[in-house]
Amino acid sequence: MSDNTPQIASGAPEDVSGPAWVRHLVHALAGTLTLLAVAQAADLPSRLGYSYYTEQFLAVILGLSLGLVFLVRRARRSDDTTSAPPIPDLILAALGLGLSFYVALAYPALLSSAMMLPWDALIVGGLLFLLVLEGLRRTVGITLVVVVLAIVLYGLIGHLVPGILQTREVQAPRMAVYLAFDPNGLFGITLNVAATVVVAFILFGQLLLRSGGADFFNDIALASMGHRRGGSAKISIVASALFGSISGVVVSNIVATGVVTIRLMINSGFRRTTAAAVEAVASTGGQIAPPVMGAVAFLMADILQKPYSEIVVAAIVPALLYYVALYVQADLQAAKHNIRPVEGEEIPPMGRVLSRGWVFALPFAAIVAALFWFNQRAETAALWGGGAALLIGLFMGYGKSRMSLRDLWSAAVESGQSIIDIIMISAAAGFIIGVLNVTGLGFAVTFALVDLGQGNLFLLLLISAAVCLVLGMGMPTVGVYLLLAVLVAPSLIETGVEPIAAHLFIFYLGMMSMVTPPIGIGAFFAASIAKAPPLATAFESMRFGWTAYIIPFLFVFSPALLLIGDPVEIVVAVATAILGVYAISSAFIGWLHGPAGIVRRILTGLAGAALLLPPGILAAATLWINGAGLAALVLLWLLGRDRQSTVSVPHPAQ
């Protein structure tokens, strides 16, 4: 597992060990970062008559983030964190703050003289590059650092490479200045979105959870699913989906909900491996679930220059199929092993939960209204939602949860500390984008991938999926998407894939790296809570989340699954896909209205595959294949029912 996993918890700000002055300094930097991001999102400076380059604001945010990284993250995992940061770390923190603030003050002059490569631009650009890479190593590990260095190195020598991967010649000084000061480099769109949209939504999540939202999510999941068979697993699915849709970090979601739900599943009869896998997959799915999608929906809208509403609508059906597969497998697993519902006394009455917690619909309503009715920017909409959550916390709360004004500062501090990982990743993505642009490497990589696919879209998708799974391992949601959107998505779009489908394809496959061996950091974290074997948990997680490996291929070939196209085609595609997901999930578990042997499992799986085939892939033949799959599934289901009526099989109540 990564030794520096980012976390967004629902409690107090991360405990910073060491002298009081270190804690105060960290809290001041983190809180200031959040407040500046909120001011920018609210367009407050321009309302007060101040004008400046966006890059100047981003330089300040980067400086605060570098200062935080070197104060709270040690150079090595084994280094002592109970004392004050070592002198070298203090020097690096001061250097990061000082250089970034210098850029903020001198940016207009640096930008106008950049073509002449002045000495101060060379020094500042080079040092910022090194500081960001070291901050990146301390936050997400060495893997992404190696990727950035490899791409930059290739950008410097790519003109010597013969063939389709040859690039334009760019000298090292020119490269350093371009990456540091051009709007397509360090201070580009990725850092801008992280410093505004992502910070605003992290703060929204903090305010919502501190106002009692975390307790409400748990209670609504318990009240709605606790009475059903295998209710503990279904509680995990609902709670993790709700929490994960706003948390933005898979591991934080697992930690926040899994400490309760995993224990509940194990106590109710699920194997430890199964309990950990259900939690890992449910938490991972929160990142692909609309409307927030771990803040990626807004980033995707900016990159594709499409309305946010189009991204959300397109993501609805794939997320639905993901959770249908997980729910069905958990339900049938409970039926197969006779796992009973949660004990009645542990389940709060639904009426009481809703009467106390209905107000938590208001923050989401505020976001939807801001986005769709008032046409506000994503970051502004997040502030509307955060304002609604703050009012709920201050004046109503949920249960014993009631916020104070001090909690508002704590939420700002926690948000600032949580964002530093994403800021480092976004800065690194800026370096990658800069290299791809200035050298032409982006076009070369796109052409090479297309050529490697040899005009075969399915082969190109397989290659891209493998790249996504490898590059996405161990990184948080936004980092996964940014890296893959730069390196992989353009090649898919170049071959004629619908742009939204291409970006959702790379995002889904990248996110599944969280549960895919050999890294599978999400599965490993859940396994550690459940005290289950990590690799076994990862493999079982792959089975529970199988739709995320398959559905992206289908919606690339048939955008009807993204609600794009003819309405009749869309209805048929969605209906047959749900039935197909049910059938294949049943085949995995070995239960179709009763226990199923190997032959019935294979036949059920084949029927599901036939149903899963969306319109448009095999033209008119698709409907005949869907019909055959439906007929086979109905026949197998009836055979299972008849067999159960003649054979005594324990079957717990729903």
Side-chain angles (χ1 to χ4, degrees):
M1 292 187 297
S2 172
D3 55 328
N4 290 304
T5 305
Q7 294 194 22
I8 302 174
S10 59
E14 180 183 350
D15 182 31
V16 179
S17 302
W21 68 268
V22 175
R23 295 195 299 273
H24 293 321
L25 178 58
V26 167
H27 289 180
L29 293 176
T32 301
L33 189 158
T34 301
L35 294 180
L36 289 176
V38 168
Q40 180 76 0
D43 207 18
L44 186 60
S46 65
R47 296 176 189 273
L48 297 176
Y50 294 100
S51 61
Y52 50 86
Y53 287 96
T54 300
E55 290 79 6
Q56 292 176 280
F57 158 73
L58 296 177
V60 174
I61 295 297
L62 179 65
L64 294 170
S65 300
L66 287 171
L68 285 167
V69 167
F70 295 119
L71 287 174
V72 302
R73 305 292 175 87
R74 299 293 183 260
R76 292 176 301 179
R77 184 180 182 183
S78 58
D79 287 348
D80 179 29
T81 59
T82 60
S83 58
I87 297 299
D89 284 359
L90 293 175
I91 293 174
L92 290 175
L95 191 61
L97 281 166
L99 290 174
S100 299
F101 284 14
Y102 175 78
V103 172
L105 294 172
Y107 185 78
L110 289 169
L111 185 63
S112 62
S113 63
M115 294 299 295
M116 295 179 287
L117 306 180
W119 66 268
D120 58 338
L122 287 171
I123 293 174
V124 172
L127 288 175
L128 279 179
F129 178 77
L130 295 175
L131 287 170
V132 168
L133 289 188
E134 174 59 14
L136 187 67
R137 185 189 69 80
R138 295 189 183 202
T139 53
V140 298
I142 194 65
T143 304
L144 188 53
V145 175
V146 172
V147 171
V148 174
L149 287 174
I151 291 174
V152 171
L153 178 61
Y154 192 92
L156 295 173
I157 66 172
H159 63 284
L160 303 175
V161 177
I164 59 176
L165 286 177
Q166 189 175 59
T167 64
R168 290 192 295 268
E169 182 177 2
V170 180
Q171 299 294 330
R174 167 71 177 141
M175 178 80 77
V177 172
Y178 181 90
L179 295 183
F181 304 112
D182 191 271
N184 291 316
L186 173 61
F187 301 117
I189 183 175
T190 56
L191 189 58
N192 189 23
V193 172
T196 52
V197 177
V198 179
V199 173
F201 271 93
I202 288 177
L203 180 61
F204 162 67
Q206 286 292 326
L207 293 172
L208 184 66
L209 297 176
R210 289 171 186 276
S211 65
D215 293 334
F216 172 68
F217 289 162
N218 287 331
D219 284 353
I220 196 70
L222 192 59
S224 60
M225 294 295 167
H227 293 289
R228 302 174 183 271
R229 69 183 178 198
S232 56
K234 296 168 184 177
I235 290 167
S236 171
I237 294 168
V238 173
S240 297
L242 291 171
F243 187 89
S245 65
I246 61 171
S247 74
V249 179
V250 173
V251 171
S252 293
N253 193 11
I254 291 171
V255 172
T257 59
V259 291
V260 175
T261 60
I262 289 176
R263 175 186 57 80
L264 197 61
M265 283 186 277
I266 293 171
N267 290 343
S268 66
F270 284 100
R271 293 183 302 114
R272 292 181 180 273
T273 303
T274 300
V278 168
E279 176 59 42
V281 175
S283 294
T284 300
Q287 313 303 294
I288 64 175
V292 180
M293 296 166 61
V296 165
F298 308 102
L299 186 57
M300 194 178 296
D302 275 356
I303 291 176
L304 291 175
Q305 292 298 293
K306 289 183 177 291
Y308 160 78
S309 57
E310 285 190 28
I311 308 298
V312 169
V313 169
I316 289 174
V317 173
L320 171 66
L321 296 177
Y322 181 94
Y323 276 107
V324 165
L326 178 57
Y327 184 94
V328 167
Q329 289 180 88
D331 177 66
L332 298 182
Q333 189 93 320
K336 185 176 182 178
H337 297 287
N338 198 25
I339 297 174
R340 310 298 300 180
V342 177
E343 294 297 328
E345 60 268 16
E346 298 184 30
I347 303 174
M350 176 63 79
R352 189 181 70 188
V353 172
L354 292 177
S355 67
R356 295 163 57 203
W358 66 268
V359 291
F360 289 105
L362 297 180
F364 294 98
I367 291 176
V368 171
L371 288 170
F372 295 102
W373 292 345
F374 296 96
N375 296 316
Q376 297 294 315
R377 295 174 301 171
E379 56 269 35
T380 305
L383 296 184
W384 285 32
L390 177 61
L391 292 176
I392 291 171
L394 290 175
F395 298 107
M396 299 182 68
Y398 179 81
K400 296 180 180 179
S401 299
R402 186 71 62 86
M403 289 180 65
S404 66
L405 291 178
R406 185 174 181 178
D407 289 322
L408 178 60
W409 172 248
S410 296
V413 170
E414 177 69 10
S415 299
Q417 291 179 233
S418 300
I419 194 63
I420 59 175
D421 306 77
I422 295 174
I423 293 291
M424 293 299 106
I425 292 170
S426 300
F431 289 144
I432 294 173
I433 293 172
V435 172
L436 298 182
N437 284 335
V438 74
T439 65
L441 180 58
F443 296 104
V445 170
T446 297
F447 186 75
L449 281 174
V450 173
D451 184 69
L452 192 60
Q454 298 177 348
N456 186 320
L457 178 56
F458 182 69
L459 179 58
L460 176 60
L461 290 173
L462 285 177
I463 295 169
S464 301
V467 172
C468 292
L469 288 171
V470 171
L471 292 182
M473 289 182 176
M475 289 199 296
T477 306
V478 172
V480 171
Y481 173 69
L482 286 175
L483 185 62
L484 298 175
V486 170
L487 294 178
V488 180
S491 62
L492 299 178
I493 296 172
E494 184 69 21
T495 61
V497 174
E498 162 69 37
I500 291 180
H503 279 255
L504 287 176
F505 178 90
I506 58 107
F507 177 47
Y508 279 36
L509 270 300
M511 282 309 304
M512 290 312 291
S513 65
M514 296 300 295
V515 297
T516 305
I519 303 298
I521 188 170
F524 289 177
F525 259 87
S528 68
I529 296 174
K531 296 181 173 56
L535 277 178
T537 299
F539 283 117
E540 188 152 355
S541 298
M542 291 178 66
R543 189 251 292 168
F544 276 116
W546 67 269
T547 55
Y549 298 99
I550 303 299
I551 298 300
F553 286 87
L554 298 181
F555 65 57
V556 165
F557 286 102
S558 179
L561 289 174
L562 300 180
L563 303 182
I564 298 172
D566 179 70
V568 175
E569 253 191 25
I570 290 172
V571 171
V572 172
V574 174
T576 56
I578 291 173
L579 289 172
V581 164
Y582 173 82
I584 294 175
S585 298
S586 300
F588 276 135
I589 299 300
W591 186 276
L592 185 65
H593 212 305
I598 185 65
V599 174
R600 288 185 63 226
R601 292 176 71 170
I602 292 173
L603 293 175
T604 303
L606 291 174
L611 282 163
L612 204 55
L613 196 66
I617 289 186
L618 296 177
T622 303
L623 285 176
W624 290 100
I625 295 172
N626 291 158
L630 178 60
L633 180 60
V634 170
L635 179 61
L636 290 165
W637 189 86
L638 290 174
L639 289 173
R641 187 184 63 175
D642 292 341
R643 182 168 180 263
Q644 188 183 17
S645 65
T646 58
V647 179
S648 177
V649 178
H651 191 83
Q654 296 283 341

